[in-house]
Amino acid sequence: MGKALDGVRILDFTHVQSGPTCTQLLAWFGADVIKVERAGAGDITREQLRDVPGADSLYFTMLNHNKRSVTIDTKNPEGKLVLEALIQKCDVLVENFAPGALDRMGFTWERIQELNPRMIVASVKGFGPGPYEDCKVYENVAQCVGGAASTTGFDDGPPVVTGAQIGDSGTGLHLALGIVTALYQRTMTGRGQKVLAAMQDGVLNLCRVKLRDQQRLERTGVMKEYPQYPNGTFGEAVPRAGNASGGGQPGWILKCKGWEHDPNAYIYFITQAPVWVKICNVIGREEWATHPDYATPDARLPRLKDIFAEVERWTMTKTKFEAMEILNEHDIPCGPILSMKEIAEDESLRKTGTVVEVDHPVRGKYLTVGNPIKLSDSPTDVKRSPLLGEHTDEVMAELGYSREQIDALRTAGAI
Ligand code: COA
């Protein structure tokens, strides 16, 4: 069966997490992704957080599936010529170097356009144009400057970053969408274009609801679904909302049986209005279904703390999975707090290919997250990440270099 991006060639000049997330997705959709790495060293993550001596780290292997690796010294004049040949042969160049690095290497937008006017040049940067555009940025910096940290955590504690890599992987996802959109536009214009996904912008896009709340706060001075209401105070900016639900369906994390010794024996419980009567019945507070203090969403808002305490008295008598099963029978939205151990062992995630076991010649078997986006006509086959420079000779031959030329370039340190 063919793949959605069959025939698309990507010059993958990415490293660390944000860029590799993007190109890995494109590879899973069928693009030929040629990862260009520094000769002799490679992507810095190959050796970061190593758990098996001498083997590429999980950090690297889990972000670089289905790619080919070539090593080129792009600061060496002969290496630059090899990169030029690749630029002429590829459809998209993806990079996430520090601002200006590509220009310093001699590959400005103008130069790339000269070499290949159809080339799409896609970049992740920390910030868009403005006072911080020259800054280097990592995941947690992006979470802080994109509004996530100031709105995450509890009211009485400091800002908190989330485990979801919304700055790196989130921006990689944004960039991938920009690239396929630009490829589509190119089918009509015949021209390439620049695609920029700034990490601050990507995080803010994911924090859209908090900018909504900022404006609600300025208009009304209070947000009734936040835990600060009715007893706490609101300041000038959107406060940290603890575990409150983002929208108009109040929710909270509640203890389940075993919480005293299991840090994840909790469930997320949503008091969705259409099933309020069922909630009352399940937790044994049937009278709340008609009581004026509880029967309507508005009446419940100032009493949410007490309501969740009462629901928790019920959830504490069940394991999180028992509670989930009972609540599901009544269509009450909820979700157990799953540990990474439970996710790794989850059979249904294995069946759908969201969690995949991959074999690697140096490190052996490991688990990875497969393609989270399923296309019915373009199935994903997760293949191990390449060894450093594994495909240098193969790609050089495809570019038209002879055996002797390849050997000479290698002796010159260009590849
Ligand atoms: N051959 C020769 N040199 C190469 C090369 C190759 N194949 N590939 C990269 N390089 C050089 C670059 O030219 C650059 O050199 P320069 O500084 O002399 O211009 C250098 O290697 C790469 O630099 P840089 O991107 O600055 O790496 P860093 O480790 O100092 O910084 C980041 C890492 C992530 C902070 C930075 O790349 C960045 O801010 N990227 C954009 C935002 C981003 O994606 N952040 C998230 C990362 S998950």
Side-chain angles (χ1 to χ4, degrees):
M1 192 187 270
K3 298 275 164 72
L5 295 183
D6 272 347
V8 173
R9 233 178 265 119
I10 312 272
L11 196 173
D12 179 11
F13 221 173
T14 70
H15 64 158
V16 208
Q17 184 181 168
S18 64
T21 302
C22 165
T23 50
Q24 176 169 263
L25 274 171
L26 301 174
W28 281 338
F29 290 137
D32 176 13
V33 175
I34 302 168
K35 184 168 172 110
V36 174
E37 295 180 79
R38 208 190 300 237
D43 187 326
I44 194 167
T45 61
R46 283 189 185 265
E47 57 178 36
Q48 277 180 349
L49 311 177
R50 251 191 190 146
D51 57 325
V52 177
D56 287 331
S57 70
L58 288 166
Y59 193 176
F60 179 84
T61 55
M62 291 177 72
L63 285 163
N64 289 285
H65 294 104
N66 297 57
K67 303 181 185 177
R68 298 197 282 170
S69 165
V70 304
T71 47
I72 307 173
D73 179 355
T74 55
K75 288 186 174 163
N76 173 310
E78 289 182 78
K80 278 187 206 291
L81 294 177
V82 179
L83 194 72
E84 286 186 3
L86 266 173
I87 290 172
Q88 281 164 330
K89 189 120 181 170
C90 289
D91 300 283
V92 187
L93 184 158
V94 192
E95 64 91 23
N96 68 312
F97 292 127
L102 208 56
D103 292 354
R104 284 194 291 279
M105 229 181 258
F107 293 98
T108 58
W109 164 247
E110 291 73 24
R111 177 68 188 132
I112 294 170
Q113 285 289 287
E114 266 170 35
L115 292 165
N116 180 359
R118 287 173 60 80
M119 174 64 88
I120 290 158
V121 178
S123 304
V124 170
K125 293 289 166 262
F127 295 90
Y132 305 121
E133 65 187 310
D134 291 330
C135 298
K136 287 183 177 179
V137 168
Y138 282 107
E139 171 67 48
N140 289 345
V141 176
Q143 289 197 25
C144 293
V145 299
S150 72
T151 53
T152 304
F154 288 87
D155 204 19
D156 55 358
V160 173
V161 295
T162 157
Q165 304 286 282
I166 56 177
D168 280 343
S169 285
T171 308
L173 269 164
H174 283 89
L175 191 72
L177 179 59
I179 290 169
V180 289
T181 305
L183 278 168
Y184 181 69
Q185 191 173 11
R186 197 183 69 172
T187 61
M188 292 170 285
T189 63
R191 288 192 309 275
Q193 62 181 300
K194 287 186 271 186
V195 180
L196 171 67
M199 295 168 77
Q200 181 183 39
D201 300 11
V203 171
L204 178 57
N205 184 37
L206 300 175
C207 287
R208 180 172 295 258
V209 296
K210 298 297 180 180
L211 188 56
R212 171 201 68 193
D213 288 352
Q214 179 63 33
Q215 296 170 81
R216 291 172 59 217
L217 180 66
E218 282 166 18
R219 186 152 297 136
T220 63
V222 70
M223 292 183 293
K224 292 183 176 173
E225 79 283 17
Y226 273 61
Q228 287 77 3
Y229 176 79
N231 302 318
T233 50
F234 286 91
E236 288 187 341
V238 174
R240 296 187 259 290
N243 287 317
S245 200
Q249 296 80 24
W252 201 254
I253 288 184
L254 307 178
K255 291 171 182 158
C256 290
K257 199 194 252 178
W259 66 274
E260 299 90 338
H261 49 85
D262 176 355
N264 296 307
Y266 289 83
I267 193 163
Y268 199 92
F269 187 98
I270 296 181
T271 57
Q272 193 208 12
V275 289
W276 176 244
V277 175
K278 291 179 181 180
I279 293 171
C280 299
N281 292 340
V282 167
I283 65 169
R285 296 302 303 253
E286 290 82 356
E287 73 280 11
W288 278 1
T290 49
H291 193 292
D293 282 352
Y294 297 92
T296 64
D298 276 351
R300 289 195 288 277
L301 282 174
R303 300 178 176 80
L304 285 177
K305 214 170 158 205
D306 297 339
I307 291 170
F308 285 126
E310 194 62 21
V311 179
E312 190 171 62
R313 265 189 274 284
W314 178 81
T315 56
M316 281 167 72
T317 66
K318 313 274 179 263
T319 69
K320 62 187 175 186
F321 295 112
E322 287 165 356
M324 169 95 171
E325 209 172 311
I326 296 168
L327 297 170
N328 274 350
E329 278 169 23
H330 298 281
D331 280 339
I332 299 167
C334 63
I337 307 306
L338 293 184
S339 68
M340 273 299 151
K341 185 172 188 311
E342 287 162 334
I343 286 172
E345 292 163 359
D346 187 304
E347 275 178 32
S348 61
L349 290 175
R350 299 272 185 126
K351 273 199 192 119
T352 58
T354 296
V355 174
V356 189
E357 190 175 78
V358 183
D359 205 359
H360 185 278
V362 185
R363 66 173 306 113
K365 290 196 165 68
Y366 65 95
L367 280 189
T368 195
V369 183
N371 192 346
I373 305 164
K374 323 287 190 210
L375 269 63
S376 65
D377 222 6
S378 181
T380 297
D381 175 21
V382 179
K383 295 197 185 114
R384 71 162 173 88
S385 58
L387 302 175
L388 181 60
E390 184 174 345
H391 305 95
T392 304
D393 288 24
E394 180 181 300
V395 171
M396 295 293 286
E398 285 169 17
L399 291 174
Y401 288 89
S402 69
R403 181 74 263 157
E404 293 69 33
Q405 286 173 313
I406 296 172
D407 290 343
L409 284 168
R410 184 161 283 130
T411 308
I415 60 169

